[in-house]
Amino acid sequence: MVGAGVVGAACAYYAARSGLVVAVVDSGPVAGGTTGAGEGNLLVSDKVPGPELDLALLSAALWRELAQVLPHAIEFEQKGGLVVAASPESLATLTATASGQLAAGVRATSVAADELGSLEPHLAPGLAGGFLYPQDAQVQPALAAAHLVRAARDAGASLHPGQAVTAVLTGPTGAVRGVRTGAGDLLAPVVVNATGVRGGELAALAGVELPVLPRRGFVLVTEPLPRLIRHKVYAAEYVADVSSASAALQTSPVVEGTQAGPVLIGASRERVGFDRTLSVPVVSRLATAAAALFPVLADARVLRTYHGFRPYLPDHLPAIGPDRRVPGLFHACGHEGAGIGLAPATAVLVTAAIRGEEPALDPEPFRPDRFDAASRTGHGS
Amino acid sequence: MPASSAEQPAARPERTELAVVGAGPAGLAAAVTAADGGLDVVLLDAADAPGGQYYRAPAPGLGATRPEALHHGWAEFAALVARLGRHRTAGRIRHLTGHHVWAVERSGADWTLHAVTGPDGRDGATTLDARRLLIATGSVERQLPFPGWTLPGVVGAAGAQAMLKSGLVLPGRRIVVAGSGPLLQAVAVSLARAGARVPALVEASGYGAYGRAPLVLAGNPGRLAEGARHGAALARHRIRPLTHRAVTAVHGTDRVEGVTVSRLDREWRPLPGTGRRIDCDVLAVGHGLVPQLDLAVGIGCATRCGADGSAALELDDGLRTTVPGVWAAGETGGIGGVRLALTEGELAARSVIADARGGPGTARAAALCRSRRRMRAFAELMGAVHRPGPGWTDWTAADTEVCRCEEVTTGAIRTAVAELGAGDSRTVKLLTRAGMGWCQGRTCGFAVRELAGCAADAGAPDRRPLACPVPLSVLARADRPEDA
Ligand SMILES: Cc1cc2nc3c(=O)[nH]c(=O)nc-3n(C[C@H](O)[C@H](O)[C@H](O)COP(=O)(O)OP(=O)(O)OC[C@H]3O[C@@H](n4cnc5c(N)ncnc54)[C@H](O)[C@@H]3O)c2cc1C
Ligand SMILES: Cc1cc2nc3c(=O)[nH]c(=O)nc-3n(C[C@H](O)[C@H](O)[C@H](O)COP(=O)(O)OP(=O)(O)OC[C@H]3O[C@@H](n4cnc5c(N)ncnc54)[C@H](O)[C@@H]3O)c2cc1C
């Protein structure tokens, strides 16, 4: 298992518990990649009907199970999401989205304009209405990944931190034999690429292409405040931002309070490579949008901001499952802004594929080699 | 948000040729030198008066007649302030006091500085552009945790000195001074002069280590003289330096009543059975200073690990950072004291002038460069002598708080490393919340890094894209300064 982010951690957990012998190797520590910069929203509300929503629904159920077995320290909380619309037009779009989601198995209830205040007393006045999504939940991503790895180790997995994979070893037939790290070779008939935003680089080590790109996101964290915000609250425009293919900046944020007191505001989305400098325009627009939703936040002080790089694939779907080009190579990466939410379902699919078992849902849309020119023509899309 | 006051500058004035952030010895020397050279300068500092951490005038109304009694080189400072005054009047320096710069960003060939004003950043906001940037943001005190360090009555050593200088108040009557570094001697002497009893000056290193670099010492006669002066003053006040020792426990329930001082081995591990109690009502403790690099790191300036184990900016002989258009001076390039800060401020400004106006290097600049090298060599020696030994972590108990803001203990950090796979200070922070609170790890950063024990991470800079808390409404307008 290459990568000890939340996806690699979940894969290690389900694979080890299924009886496979697992070694987790990471160039850094556990949760040192994008997982450490993620916010931990486990959302079904922001996904339109389709393969990603199916994966999210499966994951939501798995996270509820995991919350029963992993320590409370992972901070699982099913607080629910509240999506609000500012205008009648955007409410109409939101209503249409919600009815599609309902048909796909999502739970959602319509909230009239005059009921918003009882759910969120500090919301800006004058909103047109919204929808409440009780399945939306939350974990602390780094702790979730760390406790998944720990539980995987309890089930027999080994952890090899601080060891970068520099080569994928293959045998005479072209099948995977293991990986080379700074500390030596790790031999295994199966290698899982859970390297997140580095997924394309690891694929290249195995001689195949996987077009994972970084999509930067900033998050703002305020000073500790009394409990002002009860749900995950965001504007209906967020759904459009999430699924946008544009490289340009999108900044409609999810706003939520935390148990420790700070309010989290995030995150922006833009494709600017691995640029690590602070972008004032980006954080400024997040702040503007947050204050538009909750005017009470205007006086709050922002203590810090941080950023991370989402592993982005051009069609916004992760790469999950065997790579038909290299026998023994499996992928579990490219989850963009939903990798924390989608980690358990991804892990269940990968484990089933390795074991040759029936998958929990149709894995075809997540086929890792779907971006190949040849494979694309084959499917005529 | 209250509206900006009338004398506040317009939201986005014309760009200046040089913005200097920090009006301590380094920034002050830089600003007046640059203005002497004909540059048009804006000087920003979070504090209300120039002088930085070293030169602190007592607040007016305290009736202090001789602030110079607590400072060496007060006359030099007074001269700099007089020059600043003349340049302000002539309009060559715009001096913005009470302006905390929260971020700097590149905009085309210029730098845009964003600042908030007022004690909690809520009074107003300013955005300004400058062609060149000089970062002289100084340092903050370095602390290492030990059992009892959060008890009322334990204060920072440099903080106690600063309090004494600016408020002329003593934190207590019987004060043990402890930690490591030459600043402790100055602190002990100042406290004693102001009337406190100082029963002990506890130094974790020894001064003998300086003797191992005779050439560096020979090049810095000023520092030798200063050492001798402190030694004599300590003797006069009958303060006995206890070297190779550390405070390993603090006694008292509601506040400090005494401390236990233990002997240390060469790695700073306490030797069992050597603890000795000393009664006191205040413990002033500090382990040197750490460069304050938030703004510089935020725009991508490279750092190096100093001999003291903390990150400092990587600078060339012209005090250029690795980012074109950005210079630095003083403690940001490594802790080296006030003389070095003054020298570097002037040298950096000359380097900026040469960049802006062209022209050959001057003899003055060459001489400054030579003294700077000598002083930097001493600074590195000082850093190496007082760098915390690896055994300091043995002072802490499992329940010793390391991060006071988030109440994270040594035990929690060790668990995150040993059992949860944290491997560097960032993942320790993510898995324990150490460094996520009010001070954003400014106090515990060094200690957390050492406890995380990651070689690659040692001496790396902390990342704080916001150099201070910023009201959300200020952030919201930062992108559209015309309505600010
Ligand atoms: C600001 C922001 C907010 C977000 N909010 C959410 C949210 O609310 N909900 C949500 O579900 N998702 C969110 N995401 C997305 C989520 O964080 C990611 O999708 C997820 O963390 C990806 O996990 P991963 O395990 O695939 O990648 P990573 O966490 O990046 O893990 C990959 C690991 O692979 C290792 N690695 C890479 N190359 C090698 C190599 N050659 N050898 C060895 N190891 C290697 C890396 O060191 C790293 O530890 C957010 C992302 C950002 C940036
Ligand atoms: C608390 C303390 C007490 C000290 N006491 C002594 C002593 O007694 N004797 C001694 O020899 N040395 C002392 N020192 C060390 C001495 O202060 C330094 O050697 C010297 O002041 C270095 O000068 P400088 O200009 O580099 O930095 P500083 O004097 O630290 O000046 C930096 C200035 O930058 C400003 N600043 C920082 N960040 C920002 C920002 N983001 N926006 C706006 N302004 C900013 C600060 O307000 C400060 O005025 C002390 C240091 C500290 C931290």
Side-chain angles (χ1 to χ4, degrees):
Chain A
M1 204 67 68
V2 188
V6 69
V7 175
C11 289
Y13 174 82
Y14 285 100
R17 289 178 57 102
S18 81
L20 295 171
V21 181
V22 177
V24 183
V25 50
D26 198 299
S27 46
V30 171
T34 306
T35 297
E39 279 191 285
N41 295 321
L42 314 176
L43 303 185
V44 294
S45 57
D46 67 338
K47 295 173 182 70
V48 292
E52 198 192 8
L53 179 58
D54 297 341
L55 201 60
L57 283 166
L58 172 59
S59 246
L62 292 171
W63 270 120
R64 280 193 295 275
E65 279 174 31
L66 287 171
Q68 302 300 312
V69 294
L70 295 177
H72 288 304
I74 70 166
E75 296 175 19
F76 178 86
E77 188 187 356
Q78 194 169 333
K79 55 162 65 167
L82 179 64
V83 186
V84 297
S87 66
E89 300 75 48
S90 104
L91 184 59
T93 315
L94 176 61
T95 308
T97 306
S99 69
Q101 290 169 321
L102 281 165
V106 173
R107 286 191 283 137
T109 46
S110 156
V111 183
D114 60 1
E115 295 163 358
L116 285 171
S118 62
L119 287 176
E120 287 294 346
H122 296 282
L123 261 180
L127 294 167
F131 274 81
L132 181 67
Y133 292 83
Q135 285 155 309
D136 283 356
Q138 158 77 32
V139 285
Q140 207 277 26
L143 283 165
H147 283 286
L148 281 166
V149 170
R150 187 182 180 165
R153 291 165 79 185
D154 289 345
S158 62
L159 173 66
H160 308 259
Q163 296 179 16
V165 168
T166 54
V168 174
L169 308 172
T170 48
T173 60
V176 157
R177 277 197 311 119
V179 294
R180 174 152 302 155
T181 76
D185 292 351
L186 275 171
L187 298 183
V190 168
V191 169
V192 179
N193 172 14
T195 59
V197 77
R198 304 289 172 187
E201 291 165 34
L202 194 97
L205 290 180
V208 292
E209 208 185 303
L210 189 64
V212 182
L213 291 172
R215 197 176 182 195
R216 183 173 70 173
F218 278 100
V219 178
L220 304 179
V221 186
T222 72
E223 62 189 312
L225 297 169
R227 195 151 174 93
L228 297 173
I229 301 168
R230 302 170 184 173
H231 303 82
K232 296 177 175 293
V233 183
Y234 61 91
E237 291 69 31
Y238 179 85
V239 182
D241 276 12
V242 169
S243 51
S244 162
S246 160
L249 171 66
Q250 284 110 29
T251 51
S252 93
V254 175
V255 182
E256 71 173 303
T258 59
Q259 283 169 17
V263 168
L264 298 184
I265 301 163
S268 56
R269 290 160 194 272
E270 61 187 321
R271 285 196 351 246
V272 290
F274 286 103
D275 181 350
R276 293 172 197 278
T277 52
L278 174 69
S279 166
V280 173
V282 173
V283 296
S284 178
R285 284 174 59 179
L286 282 176
T288 304
L293 279 178
F294 290 99
V296 63
L297 291 180
D299 279 337
R301 278 170 299 172
V302 177
L303 284 194
R304 66 190 173 104
T305 170
Y306 61 85
H307 68 268
F309 298 98
R310 300 180 188 85
Y312 164 88
L313 278 166
D315 60 0
H316 298 283
L317 291 179
I320 305 173
D323 191 319
R324 281 176 271 195
R325 301 164 295 187
V326 184
L329 177 66
F330 290 69
H331 298 280
C333 62
H335 296 75
E336 203 182 333
I340 297 150
L342 301 179
T346 301
V348 164
L349 288 184
V350 166
T351 303
I354 295 171
R355 300 180 59 90
E357 291 167 354
E358 199 55 39
L361 50 80
D362 177 15
E364 184 61 19
F366 312 114
R367 221 163 33 86
D369 46 13
R370 65 189 186 269
F371 304 102
D372 249 22
S375 134
R376 262 201 302 272
T377 19
H379 282 76
S381 58
Chain B
M1 259 327 267
S4 314
S5 63
E7 68 261 340
Q8 215 168 302
R12 198 188 275 278
E14 278 173 36
R15 70 164 200 209
T16 40
E17 286 178 284
L18 173 65
V20 179
V21 185
L28 196 53
V32 297
T33 307
D36 287 348
L39 293 190
D40 121 63
V41 179
V42 55
L43 172 63
L44 303 99
D45 197 295
D48 290 330
Q53 299 287 9
Y54 185 79
Y55 298 114
R56 288 172 174 271
L62 287 174
T65 46
R66 292 180 60 246
E68 61 274 25
L70 284 167
H71 300 81
H72 264 274
W74 185 264
E76 193 162 4
F77 172 61
L80 283 172
V81 172
R83 278 162 75 195
L84 172 66
R86 286 195 292 279
H87 284 307
R88 282 177 66 152
T89 315
R92 269 189 301 274
I93 294 183
R94 238 162 18 105
H95 181 197
L96 304 179
T97 57
H99 279 63
H100 207 143
V101 179
W102 55 266
V104 176
E105 55 169 342
R106 188 185 273 296
S107 27
D110 291 343
W111 297 103
T112 299
L113 287 79
H114 298 275
V116 286
T117 54
D120 57 1
R122 288 202 166 105
D123 288 0
T126 304
T127 298
L128 55 89
D129 289 341
R131 185 73 194 76
R132 292 172 189 76
L133 175 66
L134 197 157
I135 298 177
T137 46
S139 58
V140 292
E141 191 160 23
R142 183 160 78 181
Q143 293 296 354
L144 299 178
F146 51 89
W149 75 299
T150 54
L151 201 64
V154 180
V155 301
Q161 172 85 331
M163 227 162 93
L164 189 60
K165 283 178 176 177
S166 51
L168 299 175
V169 286
L170 275 171
R173 278 217 255 266
R174 205 178 145 81
I175 307 174
V176 169
V177 177
S180 193
L183 190 57
L184 296 183
Q185 302 185 349
V187 174
V189 170
S190 303
L191 293 171
R193 274 208 191 113
R197 271 277 288 132
V198 180
L201 165 55
V202 184
E203 163 63 59
S205 275
Y207 303 117
Y210 284 95
R212 274 182 250 130
L215 284 178
V216 175
L217 291 185
N220 288 273
R223 296 307 291 247
L224 279 181
E226 182 186 270
R229 207 166 55 232
H230 281 142
L234 289 172
R236 225 175 11 261
H237 292 284
R238 288 203 218 101
I239 304 169
R240 205 157 58 92
L242 303 173
T243 56
H244 304 291
R245 287 177 177 80
V247 170
T248 49
V250 180
H251 310 289
T253 38
D254 302 328
R255 56 167 301 126
V256 174
E257 289 163 14
V259 296
T260 292
V261 172
S262 303
R263 284 189 68 88
L264 304 178
D265 71 9
R266 299 176 61 153
E267 307 223 283
W268 290 30
R269 233 164 245 113
L271 297 170
T274 60
R276 197 186 111 199
R277 184 177 163 131
I278 301 178
D279 288 337
C280 60
D281 58 6
V282 163
L283 170 67
V285 62
H287 283 273
L289 307 167
V290 203
Q292 194 156 268
L293 304 179
D294 303 339
L295 295 178
V297 168
I299 50 178
C301 298
T303 60
R304 62 184 178 92
C305 177
D308 59 357
S310 287
L313 292 179
E314 199 177 303
L315 301 172
D316 69 6
D317 269 349
L319 294 174
R320 279 172 284 259
T321 67
T322 54
V323 174
V326 184
W327 284 254
E331 310 279 54
T332 48
I335 304 308
V338 63
R339 293 243 48 95
L340 177 58
L342 289 166
T343 304
E344 288 198 340
E346 182 179 346
L347 180 58
R350 286 176 183 277
S351 168
V352 172
I353 294 166
D355 181 72
R357 301 279 189 265
T362 59
R364 171 79 183 161
L368 287 167
C369 193
R370 281 193 302 276
S371 357
R372 166 179 185 256
R373 283 208 195 138
R374 275 201 312 274
M375 287 191 271
R376 276 279 162 221
F378 186 86
E380 286 291 292
L381 171 61
M382 186 174 87
V385 169
H386 298 283
R387 191 214 188 288
W392 76 263
T393 53
D394 287 13
W395 301 342
T396 63
D399 64 351
T400 305
E401 265 177 26
V402 178
C403 166
R404 303 173 69 156
C405 303
E406 295 288 333
E407 298 174 7
V408 181
T409 60
T410 306
I413 292 173
R414 291 200 197 278
T415 304
V417 173
E419 288 168 39
L420 293 179
D424 56 12
S425 52
R426 172 168 175 253
T427 43
V428 164
K429 170 173 160 178
L430 288 166
L431 297 179
T432 65
R433 300 190 60 83
M436 282 201 187
W438 263 108
C439 87
Q440 288 292 297
R442 285 181 176 84
T443 307
C444 65
F446 182 84
V448 169
R449 213 172 272 284
E450 296 252 311
L451 286 165
C454 165
D457 191 32
D462 294 334
R463 287 187 179 276
R464 293 183 201 97
L466 302 181
C468 66
V470 187
L472 194 84
S473 54
V474 169
L475 273 187
R477 284 175 312 173
D479 193 24
R480 288 163 292 135
E482 59 278 10
D483 4 301

